[in-house]
Structures are given as structure tokens and as C-alpha cells.
Amino acid sequence: MAALQDNLILRSGTVLRNRICKASMNEALATPDGKVQPEHVALYDVWANSGASLLITGNMMVDGAHMNEPLVVDALLDANMDLLRKWAATGKRTNTHIWPQLNHPGKQSPKMVNDAPVAPSVVPIPNDMFVPPRELSDAEIEGITDRFVEAAVRLEDAGFTGVQLHGAHGYLIGQFLSPHHNRRTDRWGGSFENRFRFVEEIYRRIRAKTGPEFNIGIKINSSDFQKGGFTEEDSINVAKALDALGIDLIEISGGSWENPVNRKGKQEEKMESTKKREAYFLEYAEKVKSQIGAPLVVTGGFRSSAGISDALASGAMDMAGVARPFAVEPKFGTQIIQNPNHTSPVAPIRSGLKKIDAMAIMEISWYTMQIERIAQGKKVQTKADGVWPALRVMYRFWKNGKAVKRVRA
Ligand SMILES: Cc1cc2nc3c(=O)[nH]c(=O)nc-3n(C[C@H](O)[C@H](O)[C@H](O)COP(=O)(O)O)c2cc1C
């Protein structure tokens, strides 16, 4: 069974030098039109020295007209190539692999930035942050698939050693996979095979256009915890099918906008196992692991050396994905490897006001503020309470959401 500092050798031949992956966190540092900024490079210069062997970037969009939030990177802008090269180079200096995460949000593109979201089918999100989506045509689906491919080709050219497809958290790939969100009767919907076709096409076409050493990973939900939706069985079938196609790494997460179990702790309430183990999705990981050959990353809840070491030793996963602790301790990976008693100081953010504390945005905003501070060379504010950072980040999102719309008009 693996230990923290063991190499992990991927099918591509890539050697990851330990079992810690910094999971994706949207940096929220781009311009409203999706341009990479020098702060991205500065941030990854820090995280390339974090002790993690693999850094997944915040989600980058394959279509600037469809963003999941303001201030995300548009992977297809020519103007980004120069800084993307510098971003990729930060990892080369420390033998740290950096894989941009590629995403199309589909209908999970809020009206703050998008008045015309698209989806496999017209199934609105029951939240007035979102405009009801329009159904994609066959030609548009082909077009989006090609955008994923073009983005991957550009990122390989920029020097990144792989990409991760965002198939989790309710975005477009997840919308196609889910029978709740995908009600199509053509070749993109209905049977598992048809719902899987969108991600399969993206995967196959990226493979055909990139080199043999270029890694393709995916982040998938263990389930979307929604009635009639994407079940654990679906998820295992997706993992098995991608494994058979030769995928390099599968990361397991869970939740969506409608049901954000991945970071709000609801999963902790649901799963008895979480009380005994740190990670929310380990039980599910065990089931997947026994059925696939591709290495498995489990993300969500890991906070301590002991928690990660135990999970690795159990054989349920090959690598730990860790997000929030890296926003508070930029050297979290090194701490975990060097000190068997280390635990992240990450604590739930509290304002004291129940209604405010229940908002996922509060917590996200607090971490977003810390990420911005790291990028600017400032110290993280571990003692800061949640209210002011959250309000400031929300204002920044609101202001830039308007700017995104102006750019697109
Ligand atoms: C500020 C912030 C931004 C995030 N952005 C992304 C993202 O762009 N893509 C993604 O797949 N997950 C994103 N996540 C989710 C994390 O990758 C991870 O799944 C989740 O935080 C649970 O892991 P943790 O307990 O280690 O934080 C984000 C989380 C936070 C806190």
C-alpha cells in the first residue's frame, strides 16, 4: 500500500513524486474577458513549492461566452499564450505537474455573467441566480467538444503536462451524464452509452490531438445526490468506461450548485464513515478502486497527515486531493509529508449569523480572498472572520459580472 512520499507512475509514463494533489480552486484572478494575469503565475510559483506533486488549476473556460463565474480564465484566447507559458514553467522548476482544469458550465452559468445559458435539455435550475437554459443542437455539441480539444492542444503547447476535464459539480459534462438533466432522445441522451458520448468524444479527440506523454484526467461526482439523477452506479460506470479508454487519473468529488455536498459538510452529516475517516467519498472510492486500473484521487475533507496516510494505507485511493488547506497553508503538502502530526488549521468560517453562515458563498469567498493574498505575496489571514472578506469578494464578483456582460455585448 502506498505511503505519502511514494511516487505514482501514470499510464502516460509521468512520475508524480508523491501522493498529494492540490485540487482545483478557482483563482478568481483573471480579467472580466478571461485574460490570465501575472498574479496567476505568482500564485503557482508559490504552490509549485507547496510539496504537492500535482496542481490542478482553477477551472478554465472553453468558451468565454459561458463562464461559471466572473474572473475565470478563457483557455482559448490567443492573448493568453504568453502568460500560460510562464504559468506552466513554474511547475517545471520544482518537478511539479500542473494540469489546467477545463470546463464548460452549461446551465450553471449565472445570469450575473450570462443571459443565455445552454444545456443538454431545458431543465431549469430552481434558483433565480440562473436563467432557464436553451437546448443545445447537435452541431453546437460538436462545436463545444472541439473547443475542449482546442483548449487542450493550446495548453500542451504552453507547456502544461496534462489537463483535467471537469466532469463534477453539475457542469456541462455532468449535465450530459445525468438522466435528470439530460432528457434528450438523440445520440446524446437516453441510454448510459448515449449520455456518456459527450465526455467520450471529448476524451477521444483530445487523445488523438495530443502527444503520448500528455495526461488526461477527469474529476467526477460519486453521485449528484439528486432523485432521478446521476447515481453511484452511473458514476462507477463512467469510471470504468474512462478507464477502459485509457484515462490517466480519475478524481472523485461530489455535489453541484443545487446540492453542494462537496464543501458544505452535508456529506459529513450523511455518511457515518466520515465520522471515522476524514474524507467524504472514501467509502465510494473503495468500490470504484476495485473495478478500475487507473489511479484514483479522492478529494473532499482531508486535513491531516494521519487522515491521508490512513486512507492511502487502506488501499481505497492512490492519491489525496486537497483544496482548502492550500489556501491557508501554501506549504501544506510539505507540512503533511514532513510532520506525521500535522493538521490543517482550516476551520469553518463563522460570522455568528445563522443565515449568513449557511451561505456556501461565504466560505468560498473567504478562501478566494486568501488565494488572492498568496498571489500578491501577502500573508494569509487565518484569524479573519468570514463576513468582510465574503462581502468584499461578492462585491468584486458583482462588479466584474457586469464587466463580463459589457465585454460580451
Ligand atoms: C475557493 C474554491 C474554489 C473552487 N473552485 C473549484 C474549481 O474551479 N473546480 C473544481 O473542480 N472544484 C473547485 N472547488 C472544489 C475543490 O476542488 C474541492 O472539491 C472541495 O473544496 C473539497 O475539498 P477540500 O475539502 O479539500 O477543500 C473549489 C473550492 C474552493 C474552496
Side-chain angles (χ1 to χ4, degrees):
M1 292 308 161
L4 273 167
Q5 63 280 18
D6 288 352
N7 285 346
L8 177 62
I9 302 171
L10 306 183
R11 288 168 165 170
S12 58
T14 292
V15 180
L16 300 175
R17 66 190 151 77
N18 63 44
R19 302 305 179 107
I20 301 193
C21 163
K22 184 207 72 70
S24 174
M25 279 188 286
N26 175 26
E27 301 86 14
L29 293 170
T31 59
D33 57 346
K35 291 207 185 81
V36 177
Q37 294 295 287
E39 283 82 6
H40 285 103
V41 180
L43 175 66
Y44 280 77
D45 239 338
V46 174
W47 277 339
N49 288 288
S50 66
S53 60
L54 174 62
L55 308 174
I56 308 292
T57 73
N59 64 172
M60 294 186 183
M61 301 299 114
V62 299
D63 185 344
H66 296 271
M67 296 183 167
N68 69 328
E69 282 173 28
L71 309 178
V72 285
V73 171
D74 177 345
L76 293 186
L77 286 183
D78 289 338
N80 277 341
M81 285 310 286
D82 185 39
L83 280 170
L84 284 172
R85 281 185 214 290
K86 293 190 171 128
W87 187 340
T90 62
K92 304 267 188 274
R93 291 194 274 275
T94 59
N95 185 22
T96 303
H97 287 261
I98 308 182
W99 298 359
Q101 187 187 57
L102 292 179
N103 192 20
H104 188 302
K107 63 183 162 184
Q108 260 184 189
S109 180
K111 66 182 175 197
M112 172 199 273
V113 290
N114 192 353
D115 289 322
V118 292
S121 307
V122 183
V123 180
I125 300 176
N127 182 322
D128 60 13
M129 280 177 64
F130 302 94
V131 174
R134 175 178 67 71
E135 182 177 302
L136 286 163
S137 68
D138 186 81
E140 285 174 315
I141 297 171
E142 290 283 350
I144 295 174
T145 307
D146 289 339
R147 280 176 172 276
F148 272 95
V149 182
E150 196 188 331
V153 168
R154 278 169 183 257
L155 292 163
E156 182 184 30
D157 180 37
F160 293 100
T161 57
V163 288
Q164 183 187 61
L165 306 176
H166 198 349
H169 306 168
Y171 294 113
L172 190 59
I173 291 177
Q175 289 161 30
F176 269 97
L177 290 170
S178 158
H180 170 77
H181 297 292
N182 181 352
R183 313 269 172 100
R184 299 179 75 96
T185 52
D186 61 2
R187 65 191 176 116
W188 304 103
S191 63
F192 173 80
E193 211 177 32
N194 283 355
R195 284 183 281 123
F196 181 69
R197 192 179 310 283
F198 181 59
V199 68
E200 179 179 4
E201 283 302 314
I202 293 171
Y203 175 82
R204 283 186 190 277
R205 293 181 203 183
I206 293 180
R207 209 35 120 201
K209 289 277 172 70
T210 52
E213 286 168 14
F214 191 69
N215 293 284
I216 309 175
I218 190 163
K219 185 168 182 173
I220 56 170
N221 274 0
S222 63
S223 148
D224 57 15
F225 303 99
Q226 197 164 37
K227 214 171 159 211
F230 183 72
T231 60
E232 226 179 75
E233 194 189 337
D234 280 323
S235 175
I236 292 173
N237 286 334
V238 170
K240 278 163 68 175
L242 288 168
D243 181 46
L245 290 172
I247 196 130
D248 294 292
L249 199 64
I250 298 180
E251 180 185 352
I252 286 168
S253 182
S256 67
W257 254 102
E258 289 179 47
N259 195 2
V261 293
N262 57 336
R263 42 198 181 217
K264 278 191 69 186
K266 279 194 188 166
Q267 190 65 12
E268 289 169 73
E269 290 160 26
K270 278 187 195 161
M271 281 186 160
E272 184 57 30
S273 64
T274 311
K275 291 181 193 143
K276 293 186 221 124
R277 299 159 128 192
E278 271 179 9
Y280 321 143
F281 304 115
L282 262 181
E283 222 168 59
Y284 163 78
E286 256 161 18
K287 287 186 215 162
V288 182
K289 182 79 186 116
S290 60
Q291 300 186 56
I292 62 167
L296 202 62
V297 180
V298 176
T299 299
F302 281 121
R303 295 293 174 267
S304 70
S305 306
I308 297 174
S309 295
D310 288 354
L312 285 169
S314 78
M317 63 177 203
D318 300 287
M319 195 173 206
V322 183
R324 286 166 289 183
F326 279 95
V328 179
E329 283 185 317
K331 285 196 181 292
F332 180 72
T334 310
Q335 312 256 41
I336 283 292
I337 289 170
Q338 290 182 350
N339 178 0
N341 298 318
H342 188 71
T343 297
S344 165
V346 163
I349 316 308
R350 293 277 174 261
S351 68
L353 300 170
K354 264 193 182 160
K355 267 205 166 150
I356 291 185
D357 286 339
M359 291 163 66
I361 185 79
M362 274 280 294
E363 193 173 335
I364 299 292
S365 306
W366 191 79
Y367 290 103
T368 305
M369 174 204 68
Q370 306 291 11
I371 291 169
E372 188 189 9
R373 291 182 69 84
I374 299 172
Q376 293 170 343
K378 296 178 185 162
K379 279 198 152 181
V380 294
Q381 289 186 329
T382 40
K383 292 224 162 61
D385 69 29
V387 184
W388 288 110
L391 289 178
R392 198 178 66 79
V393 172
M394 278 186 231
Y395 172 71
R396 195 154 69 90
F397 278 171
W398 173 80
K399 194 178 78 180
N400 286 293
K402 285 190 167 274
V404 171
K405 281 195 170 168
R406 266 201 309 278
V407 172
R408 296 280 149 210

